[in-house]
Amino acid sequence: MDSIFFNGWENLFRTLIVGLLAYGVLVLFLRLSGNRTLSKMNAFDLIVTVALGSTLATILLSKDVALAEGALALGLLIFLQFAITWLSVRKRWVKRLVTGEPLMLLYRGEFLTKALRESRVTQDEVRAAIRSNGLGSVGEAHAVILETDGSLSVVKEGVSHTNSSLEGVRQSNR
């Protein structure tokens, strides 16, 4: 019963030392890899961030994982994220495969029901996004887009649409 609360000084010392070193390695790797590594630009980035946190926790708490193995795992995750994002900037098919495409849910005040069904977003959620952008009615929204990171973007009606931000947004048939 005692091991539930205290498992010995050696285990505490190991967690302290490995934790400090693993944290240092992670910060170093993140600085080397650039700001994009921990961005929240899309679901893929979120998965990498969660995987890094899980890996760090495993390094800290599992006696079966040596610091060198954990550092290699962190480095591998960061390298793979770097490689995939590097490729996605250069190859459109990789970008589509990894991040998907933004999807228009409302256009010129009309809900696109097929797109809403496909994305599992309700009209109420679209209305909430419109309200949170300070608009009083659905008709004031030129478009509402489900972005690749899961957020909803609202383009206001009456704003110039030359060089449109809607370029590349997938439109589902109503």
Side-chain angles (χ1 to χ4, degrees):
M1 188 68 169
D2 289 339
S3 67
I4 290 176
F5 299 105
F6 184 71
N7 218 11
W9 290 106
E10 184 179 325
N11 292 335
L12 289 178
F13 186 67
R14 180 204 178 277
T15 302
L16 177 68
I17 297 301
V18 170
L20 290 170
L21 293 173
Y23 182 79
V25 166
L26 180 58
V27 169
L28 175 68
F29 286 176
L30 290 173
R31 293 295 299 145
L32 291 173
S33 66
N35 292 340
R36 171 64 197 258
T37 305
L38 287 182
S39 71
K40 298 175 190 107
M41 296 176 96
N42 55 56
F44 173 72
D45 294 323
L46 174 66
I47 290 167
V48 170
T49 303
V50 170
L52 286 170
S54 177
T55 302
L56 182 61
T58 300
I59 296 166
L60 285 171
L61 299 175
S62 177
K63 292 179 186 177
D64 297 333
V65 178
L67 179 60
E69 294 168 355
L72 178 63
L74 291 170
L76 179 62
L77 285 170
I78 290 170
F79 170 77
L80 290 173
Q81 197 272 351
F82 182 88
I84 294 295
T85 55
W86 186 88
L87 278 172
S88 70
V89 169
R90 287 156 179 80
K91 303 289 183 185
R92 185 150 175 78
W93 68 269
V94 174
K95 181 184 179 300
R96 276 195 311 267
L97 179 70
V98 173
T99 63
E101 296 176 297
L103 178 63
M104 192 166 314
L105 303 176
L106 179 133
Y107 186 66
R108 295 191 173 165
E110 290 191 40
F111 290 100
L112 305 177
T113 53
K114 184 177 178 188
L116 289 166
R117 253 193 323 273
E118 179 183 323
S119 61
R120 298 179 318 277
V121 175
T122 67
Q123 288 185 8
D124 288 339
E125 291 167 322
V126 172
R127 284 188 189 95
I130 292 169
R131 287 191 304 273
S132 70
N133 277 270
L135 302 180
S137 74
V138 172
E140 292 179 66
H142 179 70
V144 176
I145 296 96
L146 176 63
E147 302 293 353
T148 58
D149 67 354
S151 65
L152 295 176
S153 295
V154 177
V155 178
K156 296 176 184 174
E157 191 63 66
V159 176
S160 172
H161 297 292
T162 57
N163 200 8
S164 178
S165 65
L166 300 178
E167 187 177 313
V169 174
R170 186 166 59 95
Q171 292 186 356
S172 182
N173 296 340
R174 299 182 188 250

